[in-house]
Amino acid sequence: MKGFLFLVLLSLSILAAESGVYAYEAAKVDNGGTVKGKVTFKGSLPNDAVEKITITKNTDVCGTGAREVVWVDVKGNALRGVFVFIDGIAKGKDWPKPKESKYLINQKDCRFVPWAQVVKPGNITIRNSDKGVLHNINTREMIGVESGSVVKKVIFNVGQPDPGDIEKEIKPRRAPFISINCEAHNFMFGFMMAPEHPYAEVVEEDGSFAIKDVPPGAYTVKAWHPRFGLKEGKVTVTAKGAVDANFEFTK
């Protein structure tokens, strides 16, 4: 019996490691350090870095002509729209309070605002700010980002014909990476990350980031761009110290 239980626990442990799902413990961090850096892009942009999609519905709100969907957003050498996170950290600071006291996906002028954000798994507010416009938000868990072979599994897919807020639950099962799109408007896209821990950031407009209050220790830091996938680096955080982790992507 003991041998059987050991095999079961081992199997669950391996499954959790492969899926990225584990129990995170929130605790006070008194002597935490900072992981900081910048995400850059080198070389010429892909030909499809910007996609133009003709607007055919709700032109009074969504606009006319073509919507430019920027899949690869580079200014100078800064690559924007990148998520940077510490992989597999088991204990550290608690989640901070979200802006507006809740996590929010706003559908405004037929765009998802913001384009990229980190949210805590759990309840999220879906807002339709576009009067007279039916939006249909589809959120999908992106499984297989690590291997480069992504399968998308629906978390929720809901129509929202009226202005106002509805509440839904973000609860990824196997991966924290999430894509969002509007089934009613084929030019509306966005991305989220819902990790078990709060040590994740979307880079600033200049590609910089700072992950604060990290307990001293050795960590793997990863950068995820929805188009280019993952890059990783190793860092050692010292008490109240700062360590650099820079990432460079190419097409």
Side-chain angles (χ1 to χ4, degrees), residues 14 49 51 74 79 110 137 139 143 147 151 165 168 185 187 189-190 196 200 223 238-240:
I14 292 173
E51 182 179 4
V74 177
L79 179 60
C110 300
I137 185 171
T139 65
I143 302 167
S147 65
V151 175
D165 295 350
K168 300 297 292 183
H185 301 91
F187 47 81
F189 300 94
E196 289 294 321
T238 59
K240 298 184 180 180

Side-chain angles (χ1 to χ4, degrees), residues 18-246:
E18 289 178 346
S19 65
V21 177
Y22 58 93
Y24 175 75
E25 181 182 351
K28 187 177 181 180
V29 179
D30 292 321
N31 60 344
T34 300
V35 179
K36 63 183 182 68
K38 186 173 182 178
V39 181
T40 57
F41 184 86
K42 183 179 180 180
S44 58
L45 292 176
N47 293 332
D48 58 351
V50 179
E51 182 179 4
K52 293 185 177 181
I53 301 176
T54 302
I55 299 173
T56 59
K57 296 174 64 176
N58 304 116
T59 54
D60 55 328
V61 176
C62 301
T64 58
R67 171 71 58 82
E68 287 193 345
V69 180
V70 183
W71 297 110
V72 182
D73 187 4
V74 177
K75 184 176 182 180
N77 70 337
L79 179 60
R80 282 127 25 128
V82 179
F83 298 79
V84 182
F85 61 99
I86 297 177
D87 186 46
I89 184 169
K91 184 177 181 179
K93 66 182 178 181
D94 203 352
W95 282 86
K97 292 183 178 180
K99 296 178 180 178
E100 298 187 29
S101 74
K102 55 188 174 183
Y103 295 102
L104 173 69
I105 301 174
N106 191 8
Q107 299 157 109
K108 182 176 176 60
D109 300 328
C110 300
R111 298 179 186 272
F112 289 116
V113 182
W115 164 268
Q117 65 172 317
V118 174
V119 301
K120 181 181 180 180
N123 290 337
I124 189 168
T125 299
I126 313 299
R127 177 172 296 166
N128 185 354
S129 295
D130 294 333
K131 185 177 180 180
V133 177
L134 164 67
H135 286 303
N136 194 112
I137 185 171
N138 185 3
T139 65
R140 292 182 288 179
E141 182 177 350
M142 300 174 66
I143 302 167
V145 166
E146 293 84 356
S147 65
S149 180
V150 175
V151 175
K152 296 182 178 181
K153 182 180 179 181
V154 173
I155 299 176
F156 61 79
N157 187 342
V158 61
Q160 195 172 4
D162 300 317
D165 295 350
I166 59 175
E167 300 294 322
K168 300 297 292 183
E169 185 179 31
I170 292 290
K171 192 175 182 181
R173 301 289 183 178
R174 295 175 56 187
F177 314 108
I178 299 169
S179 68
I180 56 177
N181 69 282
C182 179
E183 297 289 350
H185 301 91
N186 66 343
F187 47 81
M188 287 179 62
F189 300 94
F191 295 92
M192 296 188 296
M193 191 174 173
E196 289 294 321
H197 60 78
Y199 292 103
E201 301 284 345
V202 178
V203 298
E204 301 291 342
E205 292 294 296
D206 63 354
S208 66
F209 67 91
I211 303 174
K212 300 179 179 180
D213 300 318
V214 182
Y219 299 99
T220 298
V221 183
K222 294 185 178 182
W224 172 53
H225 186 276
R227 171 66 181 275
F228 298 122
L230 288 166
K231 286 187 177 293
E232 68 174 62
K234 305 289 186 180
V235 299
T236 298
V237 177
T238 59
K240 298 184 180 180
V243 62
D244 288 332
N246 298 306

